[in-house]
């Protein structure tokens, strides 16, 4: 049975993958450093989210943990990665 937490984690993973593809293609076309930083951060976020989902289904580690907190933390990490890519890349925004 699919729960709301599973749907939310899937949506966060889908958003992260979509933004990763957009930022990677944008970096390859323009060479702007902020897109490179965003691509690196989003790739780390995708890997961590996939590992988190895999660990939740393959093991029973998260049975005692509230799933809402995991979704909130994952959303905060995604927002931090996006803001770091946006603001961190603007400091040294030059073509590579």
């Amino acid at each position: 049975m699919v729960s709301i937490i599973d749907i939310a984690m899937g949506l966060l993973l889908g958003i992260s993958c979509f933004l990763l593809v957009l930022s990677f293609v944008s970096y390859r076309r323009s060479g702007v450093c902020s897109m490179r930083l965003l691509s690196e951060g989003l790739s780390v976020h995708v890997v961590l989210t996939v590992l988190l989902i895999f660990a939740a289904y393959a093991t029973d580690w998260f049975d005692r943990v509230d799933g809402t907190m995991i979704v909130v933390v994952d959303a905060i990490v995604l927002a931090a990665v996006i803001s770091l890519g946006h603001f961190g890349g603007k400091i040294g925004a030059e073509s590579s």
Side-chain angles (χ1 to χ4, degrees), residues 16 21 36 85 93:
S16 186
V21 169
R36 178 178 174 207

Side-chain angles (χ1 to χ4, degrees), residues 5 9 12 52 65-77:
I5 294 169
M9 287 298 287
L12 286 172
L52 190 68
V65 178
D66 184 24
T68 307
M69 186 58 73
I70 294 172
V71 171
V72 168
V73 168
D74 195 40
I76 289 171
V77 169

Side-chain angles (χ1 to χ4, degrees), residues 53-65:
I53 291 170
F54 178 74
Y57 280 111
T59 65
D60 58 348
W61 291 347
F62 299 120
D63 286 346
R64 295 178 301 268
V65 178

Side-chain angles (χ1 to χ4, degrees), residues 40-60:
E40 291 170 353
L42 285 170
S43 63
V44 169
H45 180 261
V46 166
V47 168
L48 290 177
T49 304
V50 166
L51 287 175
L52 190 68
I53 291 170
F54 178 74
Y57 280 111
T59 65
D60 58 348

